[in-house]
């Protein structure tokens, strides 16, 4: 599989999991924590998902059109995503342990965050592994 295809697959999975994290959080007790929290199927939830998809789609489209340097811009965005997912998972874990809600009520959101973080790490491997190692693996 070519580097471009690997990056494309990992990018699509990452975008899906980021949107799934937003939807899962809006279904959890986290959606009742403040005025800025998104309720499921609200305008806020859909606008957050739309913004995430736009931020994924524009660099992805430029990369797929043949601008290989866009991989570095995508790497910066991927690093931000990794930071977002790990910090969100940590915050939700603390929220579940020390807050009013049980950890079992938010464990799915933590799982989605950690899965998204793992996909972002895999994205870095797919985007930046050398061609000699790639040939040896496939």
């Amino acid at each position: 599989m070519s580097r471009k295809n690997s990056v494309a697959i990992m990018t699509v999975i990452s975008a899906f999991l980021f949107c799934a994290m937003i939807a899962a959080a809006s279904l959890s007790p986290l959606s009742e924590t403040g005025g800025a929290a998104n309720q499921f199927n609200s305008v806020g939830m859909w606008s957050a998902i739309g913004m995430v998809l736009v931020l994924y789609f524009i660099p992805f489209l430029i990369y797929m059109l043949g601008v290989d340097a866009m991989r570095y811009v995508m790497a910066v965005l991927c690093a931000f995503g990794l930071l977002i997912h790990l910090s969100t998972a940590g915050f939700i874990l603390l929220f579940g342990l020390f807050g009013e809600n049980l950890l079992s009520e938010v464990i799915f959101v933590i799982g989605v965050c950690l899965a998204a973080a793992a996909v972002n790490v895999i994205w870095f491997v797919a985007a930046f592994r050398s061609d000699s190692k790639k040939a040896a693996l496939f």
Side-chain angles (χ1 to χ4, degrees):
M1 183 181 306
S2 73
R3 174 182 291 162
K4 188 175 266 192
N5 288 342
S6 298
V7 169
I9 290 168
M10 289 297 109
T11 301
V12 169
I13 293 170
S14 178
F16 171 77
L17 287 173
F18 206 122
C19 293
M21 180 197 63
I22 294 169
S26 72
L27 285 168
S28 75
L30 298 169
S31 66
E32 301 165 4
T33 57
N38 291 330
Q39 299 288 322
F40 184 74
N41 207 21
S42 68
V43 172
M45 183 198 85
W46 288 112
S47 64
I49 288 174
M51 183 60 72
V52 165
L53 291 176
V54 166
L55 290 173
Y56 269 90
F57 180 71
I58 292 171
F60 178 68
L61 179 66
I62 295 169
Y63 176 71
M64 293 306 287
L65 289 174
V67 181
D68 191 54
M70 188 54 70
R71 189 169 39 127
Y72 298 101
V73 173
M74 292 170 67
V76 170
L77 296 173
C78 189
F80 281 129
L82 188 58
L83 179 66
I84 289 167
H85 294 306
L86 292 177
S87 61
T88 301
F91 171 76
I92 295 172
L93 178 63
L94 292 175
F95 179 78
L97 290 174
F98 300 112
E100 299 172 1
N101 299 301
L102 298 173
L103 184 59
S104 62
E105 295 174 331
V106 292
I107 198 75
F108 181 72
V109 183
I110 294 171
V112 173
C113 287
L114 294 177
V119 166
N120 284 356
V121 170
I122 294 169
W123 185 94
F124 278 107
V125 172
F128 294 108
R129 68 177 168 210
S130 67
D131 291 330
S132 61
K133 289 182 183 176
K134 188 168 49 172
L137 291 174
F138 293 103

